[in-house]
mmCIF file of all heavy atoms in Angstrom:
data_model
loop_
_atom_site.group_PDB
_atom_site.id
_atom_site.type_symbol
_atom_site.label_atom_id
_atom_site.label_comp_id
_atom_site.label_asym_id
_atom_site.label_seq_id
_atom_site.Cartn_x
_atom_site.Cartn_y
_atom_site.Cartn_z
ATOM 1 N N LYS B 1 -36.611 -131.314 88.174
ATOM 2 C CA LYS B 1 -37.717 -132.267 88.365
ATOM 3 C C LYS B 1 -38.874 -131.978 87.415
ATOM 4 O O LYS B 1 -39.552 -132.898 86.948
ATOM 5 C CB LYS B 1 -38.182 -132.234 89.827
ATOM 6 C CG LYS B 1 -37.178 -132.876 90.785
ATOM 7 C CD LYS B 1 -37.595 -132.747 92.238
ATOM 8 C CE LYS B 1 -36.580 -133.409 93.156
ATOM 9 N NZ LYS B 1 -36.921 -133.224 94.597
ATOM 10 N N ILE B 2 -39.076 -130.694 87.118
ATOM 11 C CA ILE B 2 -40.095 -130.324 86.123
ATOM 12 C C ILE B 2 -39.733 -130.924 84.764
ATOM 13 O O ILE B 2 -40.579 -131.470 84.059
ATOM 14 C CB ILE B 2 -40.221 -128.779 86.021
ATOM 15 C CG1 ILE B 2 -40.855 -128.200 87.277
ATOM 16 C CG2 ILE B 2 -41.034 -128.388 84.773
ATOM 17 C CD1 ILE B 2 -40.799 -126.677 87.355
ATOM 18 N N LEU B 3 -38.437 -130.848 84.402
ATOM 19 C CA LEU B 3 -37.982 -131.394 83.121
ATOM 20 C C LEU B 3 -38.059 -132.920 83.089
ATOM 21 O O LEU B 3 -38.269 -133.509 82.017
ATOM 22 C CB LEU B 3 -36.553 -130.928 82.831
ATOM 23 C CG LEU B 3 -36.387 -129.420 82.581
ATOM 24 C CD1 LEU B 3 -34.913 -129.061 82.424
ATOM 25 C CD2 LEU B 3 -37.173 -128.974 81.360
ATOM 26 N N VAL B 4 -37.905 -133.553 84.235
ATOM 27 C CA VAL B 4 -38.093 -135.006 84.301
ATOM 28 C C VAL B 4 -39.549 -135.351 84.014
ATOM 29 O O VAL B 4 -39.853 -136.281 83.251
ATOM 30 C CB VAL B 4 -37.665 -135.559 85.685
ATOM 31 C CG1 VAL B 4 -38.075 -137.034 85.824
ATOM 32 C CG2 VAL B 4 -36.164 -135.419 85.871
ATOM 33 N N GLU B 5 -40.474 -134.581 84.619
ATOM 34 C CA GLU B 5 -41.908 -134.798 84.395
ATOM 35 C C GLU B 5 -42.273 -134.601 82.928
ATOM 36 O O GLU B 5 -43.140 -135.290 82.388
ATOM 37 C CB GLU B 5 -42.730 -133.844 85.272
ATOM 38 C CG GLU B 5 -42.692 -134.185 86.760
ATOM 39 C CD GLU B 5 -43.368 -133.118 87.614
ATOM 40 O OE1 GLU B 5 -44.013 -132.205 87.033
ATOM 41 O OE2 GLU B 5 -43.236 -133.186 88.852
ATOM 42 N N GLU B 6 -41.578 -133.668 82.278
ATOM 43 C CA GLU B 6 -41.829 -133.393 80.855
ATOM 44 C C GLU B 6 -41.044 -134.327 79.935
ATOM 45 O O GLU B 6 -41.078 -134.180 78.715
ATOM 46 C CB GLU B 6 -41.470 -131.941 80.539
ATOM 47 C CG GLU B 6 -42.373 -130.924 81.226
ATOM 48 C CD GLU B 6 -41.961 -129.486 80.912
ATOM 49 O OE1 GLU B 6 -40.902 -129.306 80.254
ATOM 50 O OE2 GLU B 6 -42.686 -128.563 81.321
ATOM 51 N N LYS B 7 -40.306 -135.279 80.555
ATOM 52 C CA LYS B 7 -39.516 -136.286 79.828
ATOM 53 C C LYS B 7 -38.394 -135.696 78.978
ATOM 54 O O LYS B 7 -37.942 -136.283 78.004
ATOM 55 C CB LYS B 7 -40.424 -137.185 78.974
ATOM 56 C CG LYS B 7 -41.489 -137.920 79.778
ATOM 57 C CD LYS B 7 -42.132 -139.023 78.986
ATOM 58 C CE LYS B 7 -43.266 -139.682 79.748
ATOM 59 N NZ LYS B 7 -42.915 -140.114 81.103
ATOM 60 N N LYS B 8 -37.945 -134.507 79.372
ATOM 61 C CA LYS B 8 -36.766 -133.909 78.720
ATOM 62 C C LYS B 8 -35.483 -134.350 79.431
ATOM 63 O O LYS B 8 -34.404 -134.362 78.838
ATOM 64 C CB LYS B 8 -36.879 -132.384 78.686
ATOM 65 C CG LYS B 8 -37.951 -131.889 77.713
ATOM 66 C CD LYS B 8 -37.968 -130.387 77.633
ATOM 67 C CE LYS B 8 -38.866 -129.896 76.510
ATOM 68 N NZ LYS B 8 -40.278 -130.275 76.691
ATOM 69 N N LEU B 9 -35.600 -134.687 80.716
ATOM 70 C CA LEU B 9 -34.500 -135.256 81.480
ATOM 71 C C LEU B 9 -34.943 -136.591 82.068
ATOM 72 O O LEU B 9 -36.135 -136.829 82.257
ATOM 73 C CB LEU B 9 -34.085 -134.336 82.638
ATOM 74 C CG LEU B 9 -33.520 -132.946 82.332
ATOM 75 C CD1 LEU B 9 -33.134 -132.235 83.627
ATOM 76 C CD2 LEU B 9 -32.327 -133.016 81.397
ATOM 77 N N SER B 10 -33.950 -137.441 82.337
ATOM 78 C CA SER B 10 -34.228 -138.649 83.113
ATOM 79 C C SER B 10 -33.419 -138.563 84.402
ATOM 80 O O SER B 10 -32.464 -137.784 84.500
ATOM 81 C CB SER B 10 -33.863 -139.904 82.328
ATOM 82 O OG SER B 10 -32.471 -139.944 82.076
ATOM 83 N N TYR B 11 -33.796 -139.357 85.392
ATOM 84 C CA TYR B 11 -33.128 -139.322 86.690
ATOM 85 C C TYR B 11 -32.785 -140.733 87.122
ATOM 86 O O TYR B 11 -33.646 -141.607 87.158
ATOM 87 C CB TYR B 11 -34.029 -138.663 87.731
ATOM 88 C CG TYR B 11 -33.394 -138.495 89.090
ATOM 89 C CD1 TYR B 11 -32.357 -137.592 89.287
ATOM 90 C CD2 TYR B 11 -33.835 -139.255 90.180
ATOM 91 C CE1 TYR B 11 -31.768 -137.433 90.533
ATOM 92 C CE2 TYR B 11 -33.241 -139.106 91.431
ATOM 93 C CZ TYR B 11 -32.220 -138.192 91.609
ATOM 94 O OH TYR B 11 -31.626 -138.044 92.843
ATOM 95 N N LYS B 12 -31.496 -140.956 87.378
ATOM 96 C CA LYS B 12 -31.044 -142.289 87.768
ATOM 97 C C LYS B 12 -29.786 -142.165 88.619
ATOM 98 O O LYS B 12 -28.879 -141.403 88.267
ATOM 99 C CB LYS B 12 -30.754 -143.135 86.524
ATOM 100 C CG LYS B 12 -30.405 -144.585 86.811
ATOM 101 C CD LYS B 12 -30.143 -145.344 85.517
ATOM 102 C CE LYS B 12 -29.780 -146.796 85.806
ATOM 103 N NZ LYS B 12 -29.468 -147.542 84.563
ATOM 104 N N ASN B 13 -29.740 -142.921 89.717
ATOM 105 C CA ASN B 13 -28.568 -142.928 90.604
ATOM 106 C C ASN B 13 -28.121 -141.520 91.004
ATOM 107 O O ASN B 13 -26.941 -141.181 90.976
ATOM 108 C CB ASN B 13 -27.404 -143.681 89.954
ATOM 109 C CG ASN B 13 -27.747 -145.136 89.689
ATOM 110 O OD1 ASN B 13 -28.523 -145.745 90.424
ATOM 111 N ND2 ASN B 13 -27.188 -145.690 88.621
ATOM 112 N N GLU B 14 -29.124 -140.700 91.330
ATOM 113 C CA GLU B 14 -28.885 -139.338 91.829
ATOM 114 C C GLU B 14 -28.201 -138.433 90.807
ATOM 115 O O GLU B 14 -27.488 -137.495 91.151
ATOM 116 C CB GLU B 14 -28.085 -139.371 93.137
ATOM 117 C CG GLU B 14 -28.825 -140.130 94.245
ATOM 118 C CD GLU B 14 -28.103 -140.100 95.572
ATOM 119 O OE1 GLU B 14 -26.943 -139.640 95.604
ATOM 120 O OE2 GLU B 14 -28.696 -140.550 96.566
ATOM 121 N N ARG B 15 -28.431 -138.721 89.513
ATOM 122 C CA ARG B 15 -27.944 -137.859 88.434
ATOM 123 C C ARG B 15 -29.071 -137.594 87.448
ATOM 124 O O ARG B 15 -29.938 -138.461 87.222
ATOM 125 C CB ARG B 15 -26.779 -138.499 87.673
ATOM 126 C CG ARG B 15 -25.533 -138.723 88.502
ATOM 127 C CD ARG B 15 -24.405 -139.270 87.651
ATOM 128 N NE ARG B 15 -23.682 -138.212 86.981
ATOM 129 C CZ ARG B 15 -22.602 -137.620 87.479
ATOM 130 N NH1 ARG B 15 -22.128 -137.973 88.658
ATOM 131 N NH2 ARG B 15 -21.973 -136.680 86.814
ATOM 132 N N PHE B 16 -29.049 -136.415 86.856
ATOM 133 C CA PHE B 16 -29.996 -136.058 85.795
ATOM 134 C C PHE B 16 -29.299 -136.218 84.443
ATOM 135 O O PHE B 16 -28.142 -135.811 84.276
ATOM 136 C CB PHE B 16 -30.467 -134.613 85.957
ATOM 137 C CG PHE B 16 -31.336 -134.389 87.174
ATOM 138 C CD1 PHE B 16 -30.784 -133.878 88.348
ATOM 139 C CD2 PHE B 16 -32.688 -134.703 87.145
ATOM 140 C CE1 PHE B 16 -31.570 -133.677 89.474
ATOM 141 C CE2 PHE B 16 -33.487 -134.503 88.274
ATOM 142 C CZ PHE B 16 -32.933 -133.989 89.439
ATOM 143 N N TYR B 17 -30.021 -136.802 83.489
ATOM 144 C CA TYR B 17 -29.460 -137.038 82.151
ATOM 145 C C TYR B 17 -30.363 -136.410 81.093
ATOM 146 O O TYR B 17 -31.592 -136.537 81.146
ATOM 147 C CB TYR B 17 -29.339 -138.541 81.881
ATOM 148 C CG TYR B 17 -28.395 -139.252 82.817
ATOM 149 C CD1 TYR B 17 -28.861 -139.852 83.989
ATOM 150 C CD2 TYR B 17 -27.028 -139.314 82.547
ATOM 151 C CE1 TYR B 17 -27.986 -140.493 84.855
ATOM 152 C CE2 TYR B 17 -26.148 -139.956 83.406
ATOM 153 C CZ TYR B 17 -26.635 -140.539 84.564
ATOM 154 O OH TYR B 17 -25.769 -141.172 85.421
ATOM 155 N N ASN B 18 -29.732 -135.767 80.136
ATOM 156 C CA ASN B 18 -30.466 -135.144 79.035
ATOM 157 C C ASN B 18 -30.960 -136.207 78.060
ATOM 158 O O ASN B 18 -30.221 -137.121 77.699
ATOM 159 C CB ASN B 18 -29.530 -134.154 78.314
ATOM 160 C CG ASN B 18 -30.251 -133.292 77.314
ATOM 161 O OD1 ASN B 18 -31.448 -133.409 77.117
ATOM 162 N ND2 ASN B 18 -29.505 -132.417 76.662
ATOM 163 N N GLN B 19 -32.187 -136.064 77.601
ATOM 164 C CA GLN B 19 -32.777 -137.003 76.652
ATOM 165 C C GLN B 19 -32.686 -136.523 75.199
ATOM 166 O O GLN B 19 -32.983 -137.268 74.275
ATOM 167 C CB GLN B 19 -34.255 -137.245 77.016
ATOM 168 C CG GLN B 19 -34.461 -137.830 78.402
ATOM 169 C CD GLN B 19 -33.764 -139.166 78.575
ATOM 170 O OE1 GLN B 19 -34.173 -140.164 77.985
ATOM 171 N NE2 GLN B 19 -32.695 -139.196 79.361
ATOM 172 N N ASP B 20 -32.310 -135.260 75.016
ATOM 173 C CA ASP B 20 -32.203 -134.702 73.662
ATOM 174 C C ASP B 20 -31.087 -133.658 73.665
ATOM 175 O O ASP B 20 -31.291 -132.525 74.079
ATOM 176 C CB ASP B 20 -33.533 -134.075 73.235
ATOM 177 C CG ASP B 20 -33.515 -133.555 71.802
ATOM 178 O OD1 ASP B 20 -32.429 -133.556 71.177
ATOM 179 O OD2 ASP B 20 -34.574 -133.148 71.307
ATOM 180 N N TYR B 21 -29.905 -134.064 73.188
ATOM 181 C CA TYR B 21 -28.747 -133.172 73.237
ATOM 182 C C TYR B 21 -28.948 -131.887 72.433
ATOM 183 O O TYR B 21 -28.302 -130.877 72.705
ATOM 184 C CB TYR B 21 -27.497 -133.894 72.748
ATOM 185 C CG TYR B 21 -27.082 -135.066 73.620
ATOM 186 C CD1 TYR B 21 -26.687 -136.269 73.055
ATOM 187 C CD2 TYR B 21 -27.085 -134.969 75.006
ATOM 188 C CE1 TYR B 21 -26.300 -137.347 73.844
ATOM 189 C CE2 TYR B 21 -26.706 -136.031 75.802
ATOM 190 C CZ TYR B 21 -26.314 -137.222 75.227
ATOM 191 O OH TYR B 21 -25.941 -138.275 76.017
ATOM 192 N N LEU B 22 -29.827 -131.918 71.455
ATOM 193 C CA LEU B 22 -30.080 -130.706 70.677
ATOM 194 C C LEU B 22 -30.751 -129.616 71.513
ATOM 195 O O LEU B 22 -30.765 -128.450 71.130
ATOM 196 C CB LEU B 22 -30.942 -131.034 69.448
ATOM 197 C CG LEU B 22 -30.239 -131.813 68.339
ATOM 198 C CD1 LEU B 22 -31.236 -132.296 67.301
ATOM 199 C CD2 LEU B 22 -29.154 -130.971 67.677
ATOM 200 N N LEU B 23 -31.303 -130.019 72.655
ATOM 201 C CA LEU B 23 -31.935 -129.047 73.553
ATOM 202 C C LEU B 23 -31.021 -128.667 74.713
ATOM 203 O O LEU B 23 -31.462 -128.014 75.667
ATOM 204 C CB LEU B 23 -33.242 -129.630 74.117
ATOM 205 C CG LEU B 23 -34.392 -129.851 73.135
ATOM 206 C CD1 LEU B 23 -35.568 -130.516 73.852
ATOM 207 C CD2 LEU B 23 -34.834 -128.540 72.501
ATOM 208 N N SER B 24 -29.766 -129.082 74.664
ATOM 209 C CA SER B 24 -28.877 -128.900 75.816
ATOM 210 C C SER B 24 -28.743 -127.441 76.249
ATOM 211 O O SER B 24 -28.816 -127.130 77.444
ATOM 212 C CB SER B 24 -27.500 -129.508 75.538
ATOM 213 O OG SER B 24 -26.921 -128.949 74.381
ATOM 214 N N ASP B 25 -28.565 -126.528 75.298
ATOM 215 C CA ASP B 25 -28.415 -125.115 75.662
ATOM 216 C C ASP B 25 -29.668 -124.577 76.348
ATOM 217 O O ASP B 25 -29.591 -123.881 77.365
ATOM 218 C CB ASP B 25 -28.094 -124.274 74.424
ATOM 219 C CG ASP B 25 -26.698 -124.519 73.893
ATOM 220 O OD1 ASP B 25 -25.915 -125.215 74.577
ATOM 221 O OD2 ASP B 25 -26.381 -124.020 72.798
ATOM 222 N N GLU B 26 -30.827 -124.917 75.770
ATOM 223 C CA GLU B 26 -32.089 -124.433 76.333
ATOM 224 C C GLU B 26 -32.316 -124.999 77.729
ATOM 225 O O GLU B 26 -32.781 -124.308 78.630
ATOM 226 C CB GLU B 26 -33.270 -124.816 75.414
ATOM 227 C CG GLU B 26 -33.333 -124.048 74.106
ATOM 228 C CD GLU B 26 -32.431 -124.629 73.027
ATOM 229 O OE1 GLU B 26 -31.636 -125.550 73.335
ATOM 230 O OE2 GLU B 26 -32.525 -124.165 71.875
ATOM 231 N N ILE B 27 -31.959 -126.272 77.908
ATOM 232 C CA ILE B 27 -32.133 -126.906 79.218
ATOM 233 C C ILE B 27 -31.241 -126.250 80.273
ATOM 234 O O ILE B 27 -31.674 -125.972 81.385
ATOM 235 C CB ILE B 27 -31.845 -128.426 79.109
ATOM 236 C CG1 ILE B 27 -33.010 -129.118 78.394
ATOM 237 C CG2 ILE B 27 -31.621 -129.052 80.484
ATOM 238 C CD1 ILE B 27 -32.761 -130.567 78.040
ATOM 239 N N VAL B 28 -29.998 -125.986 79.911
ATOM 240 C CA VAL B 28 -29.074 -125.339 80.849
ATOM 241 C C VAL B 28 -29.575 -123.945 81.227
ATOM 242 O O VAL B 28 -29.570 -123.561 82.398
ATOM 243 C CB VAL B 28 -27.651 -125.254 80.253
ATOM 244 C CG1 VAL B 28 -26.742 -124.403 81.136
ATOM 245 C CG2 VAL B 28 -27.053 -126.647 80.105
ATOM 246 N N LEU B 29 -30.056 -123.195 80.245
ATOM 247 C CA LEU B 29 -30.568 -121.847 80.519
ATOM 248 C C LEU B 29 -31.791 -121.897 81.428
ATOM 249 O O LEU B 29 -32.002 -120.999 82.261
ATOM 250 C CB LEU B 29 -30.917 -121.133 79.210
ATOM 251 C CG LEU B 29 -29.730 -120.694 78.361
ATOM 252 C CD1 LEU B 29 -30.178 -120.178 77.004
ATOM 253 C CD2 LEU B 29 -28.924 -119.616 79.081
ATOM 254 N N PHE B 30 -32.606 -122.927 81.288
ATOM 255 C CA PHE B 30 -33.782 -123.094 82.142
ATOM 256 C C PHE B 30 -33.366 -123.493 83.560
ATOM 257 O O PHE B 30 -33.928 -123.013 84.548
ATOM 258 C CB PHE B 30 -34.725 -124.148 81.557
ATOM 259 C CG PHE B 30 -35.935 -124.424 82.416
ATOM 260 C CD1 PHE B 30 -36.991 -123.528 82.480
ATOM 261 C CD2 PHE B 30 -36.006 -125.583 83.186
ATOM 262 C CE1 PHE B 30 -38.091 -123.774 83.283
ATOM 263 C CE2 PHE B 30 -37.108 -125.841 83.998
ATOM 264 C CZ PHE B 30 -38.152 -124.926 84.045
ATOM 265 N N LEU B 31 -32.385 -124.358 83.654
ATOM 266 C CA LEU B 31 -31.969 -124.911 84.945
ATOM 267 C C LEU B 31 -31.226 -123.924 85.821
ATOM 268 O O LEU B 31 -31.504 -123.795 87.014
ATOM 269 C CB LEU B 31 -31.051 -126.120 84.735
ATOM 270 C CG LEU B 31 -31.640 -127.492 84.485
ATOM 271 C CD1 LEU B 31 -30.523 -128.518 84.363
ATOM 272 C CD2 LEU B 31 -32.579 -127.887 85.626
ATOM 273 N N VAL B 32 -30.233 -123.271 85.242
ATOM 274 C CA VAL B 32 -29.255 -122.538 86.034
ATOM 275 C C VAL B 32 -29.800 -121.192 86.497
ATOM 276 O O VAL B 32 -30.318 -120.391 85.697
ATOM 277 C CB VAL B 32 -27.951 -122.315 85.246
ATOM 278 C CG1 VAL B 32 -26.948 -121.521 86.068
ATOM 279 C CG2 VAL B 32 -27.342 -123.660 84.886
ATOM 280 N N GLU B 33 -29.648 -120.952 87.771
ATOM 281 C CA GLU B 33 -30.054 -119.677 88.353
ATOM 282 C C GLU B 33 -28.897 -118.688 88.192
ATOM 283 O O GLU B 33 -27.843 -118.837 88.807
ATOM 284 C CB GLU B 33 -30.371 -119.867 89.838
ATOM 285 C CG GLU B 33 -30.940 -118.639 90.491
ATOM 286 C CD GLU B 33 -31.275 -118.872 91.963
ATOM 287 O OE1 GLU B 33 -30.940 -119.955 92.483
ATOM 288 O OE2 GLU B 33 -31.854 -117.959 92.559
#
């Protein structure tokens, strides 16, 4: 939800979508516990 607020992810139909695939690794590392 933080990444949605920062417009790095979008949220639709109960799914999160990446807005910049070049940041995919960084986003996963931030997300996953």
Side-chain angles (χ1 to χ4, degrees):
K1 288 176 179 176
I2 290 170
L3 293 175
V4 171
E5 289 173 9
E6 294 179 354
K7 302 194 184 309
K8 289 184 171 62
L9 296 182
S10 64
Y11 184 69
K12 186 180 180 182
N13 298 329
E14 299 184 351
R15 296 184 85 92
F16 292 98
Y17 297 93
N18 190 359
Q19 300 301 290
D20 184 353
Y21 296 136
L22 288 170
L23 293 176
S24 57
D25 289 351
E26 289 83 352
I27 286 171
V28 172
L29 288 172
F30 177 75
L31 276 182
V32 179
E33 186 179 7

